[in-house]
Amino acid sequence: MRDQLRHLEELQRYDAQIQELQNALKGIPAKLQASQNDLLRIEALLESERAQLAETQRYYNEQKQQLQAEEATVTGAKHKLSLAKNSKEYVAAQREIEQTRESVQAREAEISKLVEAIQAKEKILAERTSELKALRASIEKDGEIARSKMAEMQSKIDGLQAERDKIASAIRPDYLKRYGAIRLRRGMAVATVRNGTCLGCNMNVPPQLYNILQRGNTLETCPYCHRIVYWENLMKDKEEESSPDPTPTGG
């Protein structure tokens, strides 16, 4: 029975290591996906800013066309002024020139602001495009490192699993089944009893059960947490039996 309990304890240690590695392994793709999501979000924002720049450039082109049309109007009004035959025609042409010039000045000011805005936006976009390129390269590098780490972790899991299977093969099938059922419910399936206390739930086991555990002839479970339990000194006795006897000293 000692051997069976020792195997169950070893099996639990292997299962805990495997579980820890598997949990860590599952977390890596999630982190990579989070980085990819951030990259996609930044790309979308950059694309939105490019669309805004394109709209500003379109508006700039419209203003340039209207400015050209207004300048042509001023030229035409000046021609009318030179051909005016009377004061009425002269005043009308003069008024048209003044009004159009005011519009031209306002549009030139608007175009100047648009040029500044476009240049500033282009500078920002160039910087952010460069930053995005660096971020994409960094994420790709992180992905390569992560995939290498995942392969290494999976190899370690496979090795632990092989050792775990060897241990499991030495355990009685009914014990192994009970262990698996408890582990599924409780996480930890095997617990030590120290000084009459189950270290799985910190409850004192009944004295009769404690006596049975000290004999170590049967597989017992804690009546409170239902884990497989064994007397702590049972394993220590096994180690002592395998150690050489101390050299007697003279009295």
Side-chain angles (χ1 to χ4, degrees):
M1 181 54 64
R2 285 180 180 176
D3 288 341
Q4 289 293 296
L5 287 168
R6 189 175 69 255
H7 291 327
L8 285 169
E9 192 180 50
E10 289 175 346
L11 190 69
Q12 179 165 267
R13 284 199 295 269
Y14 273 98
D15 282 338
Q17 292 179 62
I18 291 170
Q19 186 66 52
E20 183 179 357
L21 284 169
Q22 286 176 336
N23 290 338
L25 189 62
K26 289 177 183 177
I28 293 175
K31 290 180 181 179
L32 290 176
Q33 187 59 53
S35 297
Q36 285 294 333
N37 291 341
D38 288 341
L39 181 63
L40 291 173
R41 179 178 56 80
I42 294 170
E43 287 176 340
L45 289 172
L46 194 59
E47 192 60 34
S48 176
E49 289 187 341
R50 288 193 182 109
Q52 292 174 11
L53 175 61
E55 180 61 24
T56 303
Q57 289 171 329
R58 184 192 63 77
Y59 181 62
Y60 165 81
N61 291 331
E62 286 181 357
Q63 295 301 303
K64 286 284 289 183
Q65 290 174 0
Q66 291 181 17
L67 177 62
Q68 291 171 357
E70 288 169 346
E71 287 175 340
T73 299
V74 171
T75 301
K78 286 181 178 179
H79 183 64
K80 290 178 185 179
L81 186 65
S82 65
L83 297 177
K85 296 178 181 179
N86 51 56
S87 60
K88 184 178 180 181
E89 290 180 355
Y90 184 88
V91 169
Q94 187 69 35
R95 185 181 299 113
E96 184 179 8
I97 290 172
E98 291 174 356
Q99 290 175 345
T100 307
R101 277 178 175 170
E102 290 178 359
S103 179
V104 166
Q105 290 174 354
R107 203 168 304 282
E108 285 176 340
E110 177 69 11
I111 288 173
S112 179
K113 292 179 182 178
L114 288 171
V115 169
E116 291 179 2
I118 288 171
Q119 289 175 344
K121 179 63 75 174
E122 286 176 339
K123 182 179 179 181
I124 291 172
L125 283 174
E127 292 173 353
R128 291 182 178 173
T129 299
S130 178
E131 291 171 357
L132 180 64
K133 184 178 179 181
L135 177 61
R136 187 181 291 111
S138 176
I139 290 175
E140 288 176 358
K141 184 177 179 181
D142 289 344
E144 292 175 1
I145 294 172
R147 284 187 287 274
S148 176
K149 186 176 181 180
M150 288 172 67
E152 182 181 340
M153 291 173 70
Q154 187 60 58
S155 177
K156 191 171 183 180
I157 289 172
D158 293 342
L160 288 171
Q161 187 66 48
E163 293 298 321
R164 189 255 186 212
D165 291 343
K166 288 180 183 178
I167 295 169
S169 66
I171 300 173
R172 282 177 43 173
D174 55 333
Y175 290 176
L176 191 61
K177 183 177 180 181
R178 191 189 302 185
Y179 166 87
I182 297 170
R183 185 172 183 276
L184 188 63
R185 295 194 307 270
R186 311 293 297 181
M188 184 176 75
V190 183
T192 305
V193 172
R194 178 183 298 166
N195 297 327
T197 301
C198 171
L199 300 187
C201 61
N202 294 320
M203 296 291 289
N204 291 330
V205 301
Q208 184 179 359
L209 175 59
Y210 190 45
N211 290 334
I212 293 173
L213 292 176
Q214 288 176 315
R215 288 195 290 269
N217 295 325
T218 56
L219 191 73
E220 303 293 337
T221 55
C222 174
Y224 305 108
C225 66
H226 307 292
R227 293 183 173 94
I228 297 170
V229 287
Y230 66 88
W231 182 43
E232 180 183 37
N233 290 345
L234 195 66
M235 298 302 179
K236 292 181 179 178
D237 290 345
K238 184 67 176 177
E239 292 172 1
E240 289 170 3
E241 287 174 6
S242 61
S243 301
D245 292 334
T247 303
T249 56

